[in-house]
Amino acid sequence: MNALLSVSDKTGIVEFAKELHALGIKLLSTGGTAKLLADKGLPVTEVAEVTQFPEMLDGRVKTLHPKVHGGLLARRELPEHMAALKEHGIDTIDLLVVNLYPFEATVAKAGCTLADAIENIDIGGPAMVRSAAKNWKDVGVITSADQYAAVLAELKAGGKLSDKLRFALSVAAFNRIAQYDGAISDYLSSVTFEAEKLSESYVPQRALFPGQSNGIFTKVQDLRYGENSHQQAALYRDLYPAPGSLVTGVQLQGKELSYNNIADADAAWECVKSFDAPACVIVKHANPCGVAVGKDALETYSKAFQTDPTSAFGGIIAFNRTVDKAAAEAVVKQFVEVLMAPDFTPEALEVFKPKVNVRLMKIALPQGGASAWDQGRNAMDAKRVGSGLLLQTADNHELALADLKVVTVKQPTPEELQDLLFAWKVAKYVKSNAIVFCKNGMTMGVGAGQMSRLDSARIASIKAEAAQLSLQGTVVASDAFFPFRDGLDVVVDAGATCVAQPGGSMRDQEVIDAANERGVAMVFTGVRHFRH
């Protein structure tokens, strides 16, 4: 058996080659890999000896030769193929170990030149991988060090690779080539070409949206069904998921997550991780129905639950702090579909153990703690339309006190300003049109997803009344401007004393005048938070 090893990332290659040699497998290699193996005392034949043609063009040409590709592509069961190999003195290559030039890592570096990017486009490696993967019935192709152990286990057990493993390796190889070519296309499609600036040191400008989008996602699992039982569904994740994102979580117990569970869980998780202080978010049908900050998990949950106990039934709950026994004992009294947190104490897990259907998700904090959670934010949002895709940068705008512009005679109090920032953060995660009443770090009424902002304001008031919460002295955040004064009158009639809105309406002055008339404070944020 002959194995050709040619790797850019040499992690584990020496140990793997030693194992292959011990199994009596002849080693072929190229360039730096061959030198490394020889330096470690392994008998290795350079590919140039096999092809009788030296590496050339700074290594750009070394394996593009019939004695390499013939050995990879020949079908062993076809006499005419084997005769052709014999006629031309070509040996079969039964195992190919290749990983590619680090194109993705290269272009991710700040200041990457176009010349560096181009030089890290692998040619010979993908060509060999495709040849070996196409001929999977006869050739095992390894494209990642993660595959070494499985390959060695089968070789040691039976002296050859099973059809099942060779096919799986082939699929992984073609997937890797697709990922690689997609990354190259994404990069080159984003480059603003300026011929007059071309030089070895030229760092090109890159468009935010490339000329071709090649998003690569890997399947995590099939789902029982989609949004409705007659729809089929599966969960995929980014090829390189961000730390602290939902798909990096581990389910500790409970039933399998459904399509709707995952969609709602993501809404809750994205909202809760936007807070630095201990926070709890309860989501129902993609909308926060209760959000609060407090001193610990128990207090945040108790406050969030008060907002809308009816909607919280069967909801999705997310914490941005470890869930302890006290918080677990409060949550377990209610019907909850999914509970997420960075961690759970052993005592909390014991509380939930009898509730076998409750889905517990542990999503590890990124390195650096809660303040590092912005690493896990999506950089882009995508939405399918008929035969198309809408792409936009994600709404990751954060509002600071300095961004608020007071437009009324009455000034907000320091307490109201803090509640406004809290309410504004919540409104960003509520479906438009969104109206959010808050006080003392908790939501008091949430109106979501209405065609009229006026209706959202009325619904928020109705929900507060149903929860027996007084809206006197609350603040209100509106995700977009009030087109007329009637929406402002509704929230003021309900008890609000301070309102935040983006501004930008033709009738801004009319609404400002109404706020002054009603004796409430109003601030403009200068930015809106539509969420469709």
Side-chain angles (χ1 to χ4, degrees):
M1 184 181 288
N2 298 315
L4 171 53
L5 294 73
S6 180
V7 294
S8 176
D9 177 2
K10 295 176 173 55
T11 302
I13 192 62
V14 172
E15 294 76 13
F16 185 61
K18 286 180 178 178
E19 295 276 12
L20 295 180
H21 173 60
L23 291 167
I25 298 173
K26 182 180 177 181
L27 303 179
L28 309 174
S29 193
T30 61
T33 307
K35 182 177 185 306
L36 173 63
L37 299 182
D39 289 345
K40 297 299 182 179
L42 287 163
V44 58
T45 301
E46 285 217 41
V47 166
E49 294 181 43
V50 175
T51 63
Q52 292 297 296
F53 203 94
E55 293 186 15
M56 62 184 297
L57 306 181
D58 299 319
R60 284 189 170 197
V61 177
K62 50 193 174 189
T63 59
L64 297 171
H65 194 281
K67 286 200 172 182
V68 173
H69 287 273
L72 291 170
L73 283 165
R75 292 174 59 181
R76 286 25 167 197
E77 83 280 10
L78 296 182
E80 59 269 32
H81 278 209
M82 300 313 291
L85 292 191
K86 184 176 181 179
E87 178 184 352
H88 296 287
I90 300 174
D91 288 333
T92 59
I93 298 172
D94 310 291
L95 191 65
L96 178 71
V97 186
V98 169
N99 55 55
L100 309 176
Y101 292 173
F103 179 84
E104 296 100 326
T106 298
V107 299
K109 295 176 183 175
C112 173
T113 65
L114 181 60
D116 282 342
I118 296 297
E119 204 56 39
N120 276 278
I121 297 176
D122 203 330
I123 302 299
M128 288 192 293
V129 168
R130 291 177 68 88
S131 292
K134 176 174 180 175
N135 201 26
W136 66 269
K137 287 185 178 181
D138 296 310
V139 183
V141 54
I142 300 172
T143 51
S144 169
D146 294 340
Q147 299 163 335
Y148 293 165
V151 168
L152 286 174
E154 287 206 358
L155 290 175
K156 290 178 179 179
K160 64 178 184 178
L161 300 182
S162 65
D163 286 351
K164 182 178 180 180
L165 180 56
R166 274 188 269 102
F167 183 73
L169 292 172
S170 172
V171 172
F174 280 119
N175 286 345
R176 176 63 188 125
I177 296 302
Q179 296 160 7
Y180 196 71
D181 287 344
I184 294 169
S185 171
D186 282 340
Y187 172 80
L188 293 177
S189 294
S190 73
V191 166
T192 302
F193 186 78
E194 300 170 280
E196 68 278 7
K197 294 183 179 180
L198 285 183
S199 70
E200 287 296 307
S201 61
Y202 171 52
V203 178
Q205 296 292 316
R206 295 182 60 185
L208 187 59
F209 301 100
Q212 177 167 311
S213 178
N214 300 280
I216 300 291
F217 302 90
T218 59
K219 188 162 76 171
V220 176
Q221 66 186 92
D222 289 309
L223 302 174
R224 288 177 296 162
Y225 53 83
E227 203 163 10
N228 300 290
S229 59
H230 61 275
Q231 294 171 269
Q232 295 177 310
L235 171 64
Y236 288 76
R237 65 163 175 79
D238 284 326
L239 185 60
Y240 304 108
S245 54
L246 179 72
V247 295
T248 66
V250 176
Q251 187 169 346
L252 303 180
Q253 76 162 55
K255 297 186 296 184
E256 181 182 308
L257 290 163
S258 72
Y259 181 99
N260 292 331
N261 288 155
I262 293 168
D264 286 347
D266 186 61
W269 190 246
E270 290 299 307
C271 184
V272 81
K273 72 182 186 182
S274 69
F275 292 96
D276 292 325
C280 175
V281 174
I282 306 174
V283 160
K284 193 69 171 290
H285 295 299
N287 278 300
C289 60
V291 182
V293 293
K295 66 178 184 297
D296 56 26
L298 175 60
E299 182 181 3
T300 61
Y301 170 72
S302 299
K303 291 167 67 176
F305 183 78
Q306 287 181 60
T307 303
D308 191 350
T310 301
S311 297
F313 180 83
I316 309 289
I317 303 175
F319 292 89
N320 65 358
R321 294 293 192 275
T322 296
V323 172
D324 56 16
K325 182 181 180 182
E329 288 177 336
V331 173
V332 80
K333 296 176 183 177
Q334 313 301 326
F335 171 43
V336 55
E337 288 276 6
V338 183
L339 177 60
M340 296 169 288
D343 208 350
F344 297 83
T345 65
E347 295 80 10
L349 292 176
E350 284 298 317
V351 171
F352 286 108
K353 190 174 289 186
K355 301 288 186 178
V356 294
N357 288 332
V358 175
R359 304 163 177 91
L360 298 185
M361 289 284 294
K362 176 181 176 180
I363 307 176
L365 279 166
Q367 192 172 4
S371 62
W373 257 343
D374 57 356
Q375 300 173 31
R377 293 179 175 179
N378 290 328
M380 290 282 177
D381 281 340
K383 182 179 294 187
R384 284 303 307 261
V385 295
S387 297
L389 182 72
L390 285 171
L391 283 177
Q392 65 173 350
T393 57
D395 185 3
N396 293 328
H397 182 272
E398 293 292 335
L399 192 68
L401 277 176
D403 299 323
L404 299 178
K405 178 185 177 183
V406 180
V407 294
T408 51
V409 174
K410 185 178 180 181
Q411 300 289 307
T413 67
E415 293 77 17
E416 286 175 330
L417 287 172
Q418 290 304 313
D419 276 333
L420 281 179
L421 292 178
F422 172 83
W424 188 250
K425 187 166 289 191
V426 174
K428 183 166 71 170
Y429 297 96
V430 177
K431 297 285 188 179
S432 299
N433 287 307
I435 294 290
V436 181
F437 287 84
C438 295
K439 187 175 183 180
N440 296 330
M442 69 174 278
T443 49
M444 305 291 283
V446 179
Q450 298 304 304
M451 291 72 78
S452 160
R453 188 161 306 278
L454 187 61
D455 288 340
S456 290
R458 289 168 176 157
I459 287 171
S461 301
I462 291 168
K463 283 189 167 291
E465 183 180 358
Q468 298 183 345
L469 294 175
S470 171
L471 295 180
Q472 295 303 311
T474 55
V475 306
V476 166
S478 172
D479 67 339
F481 60 66
F482 287 100
F484 303 97
R485 68 168 289 167
D486 51 2
L488 175 74
D489 284 328
V490 170
V491 299
V492 175
D493 287 344
T497 57
C498 189
V499 177
Q501 60 137 317
S505 167
M506 293 175 56
R507 295 183 174 83
D508 272 351
Q509 191 57 53
E510 175 186 323
V511 178
I512 294 170
D513 290 343
N516 284 327
E517 175 190 321
R518 300 298 301 270
V520 298
M522 179 180 288
V523 302
F524 282 2
T525 64
V527 62
R528 76 180 186 197
H529 280 312
F530 275 166
R531 187 177 180 87
H532 289 147

